[in-house]
Amino acid sequence: EVQLVESGGGLVQAGGSLRLSCVASGFALDDYAVGWFRQAPGKEREGVSCITTYDRSTYYLDSVKGRFTISSENAKNTVYLQMNILKTEDTASYYCAAALGHLPCAALLGGGYDYRGQGTQVTVSS
């Protein structure tokens, strides 16, 4: 069964850190674009970050640049999102998605992904 499973969300105070994990099963992530999206109640979905596991190119939403870092560990079939200096406006449900076929991050972040996870909640308190 093909799955993406996120973990690592939780409640943290502003200024704190969390690391989200996205573990793939049923397929290998070493030839994909993998991205993180977030959606807060009443707001549109945002593409937060993306990495292409085949050449390690990355993308970040302007509001998270310098605070978030995406990385992949192909041997563990996992993509991470390290989130530092969290702000209350980062509060959202975060999910990962994967697009096969050497698609660039722009395509994935435009909604062109093949698989997505169920999401993990990140809540940042003031």
Side-chain angles (χ1 to χ4, degrees):
E1 182 184 4
V2 172
Q3 271 190 317
L4 290 173
V5 179
E6 304 93 339
S7 62
L11 173 64
V12 65
Q13 285 193 322
S17 298
L18 287 172
R19 188 176 79 158
L20 305 184
S21 298
C22 172
V23 180
S25 59
F27 67 104
L29 273 179
D30 59 356
D31 202 27
Y32 280 71
V34 181
W36 288 93
F37 294 85
R38 68 185 181 188
Q39 188 160 23
K43 294 187 178 180
E44 291 193 358
R45 181 187 70 182
E46 290 183 305
V48 176
S49 185
C50 176
I51 187 168
T52 50
T53 59
Y54 47 88
D55 68 2
R56 300 290 199 273
S57 63
T58 57
Y59 162 88
Y60 295 97
L61 185 67
D62 282 348
S63 61
V64 308
K65 284 180 182 176
R67 300 189 296 121
F68 290 11
T69 303
I70 193 168
S71 61
S72 66
E73 191 169 357
N74 290 356
K76 293 188 175 181
N77 232 22
T78 301
V79 169
Y80 304 99
L81 186 67
Q82 177 68 43
M83 306 187 296
N84 299 328
I85 318 174
L86 282 161
K87 304 177 180 181
T88 55
E89 52 263 43
D90 295 319
T91 295
S93 177
Y94 286 70
Y95 69 90
C96 63
L100 57 79
H102 277 218
L103 284 184
C105 279
L108 180 144
L109 295 170
Y113 51 78
D114 298 285
Y115 310 115
R116 61 157 289 179
Q118 291 300 307
T120 185
Q121 179 66 35
V122 171
T123 302
V124 184
S125 64
S126 58

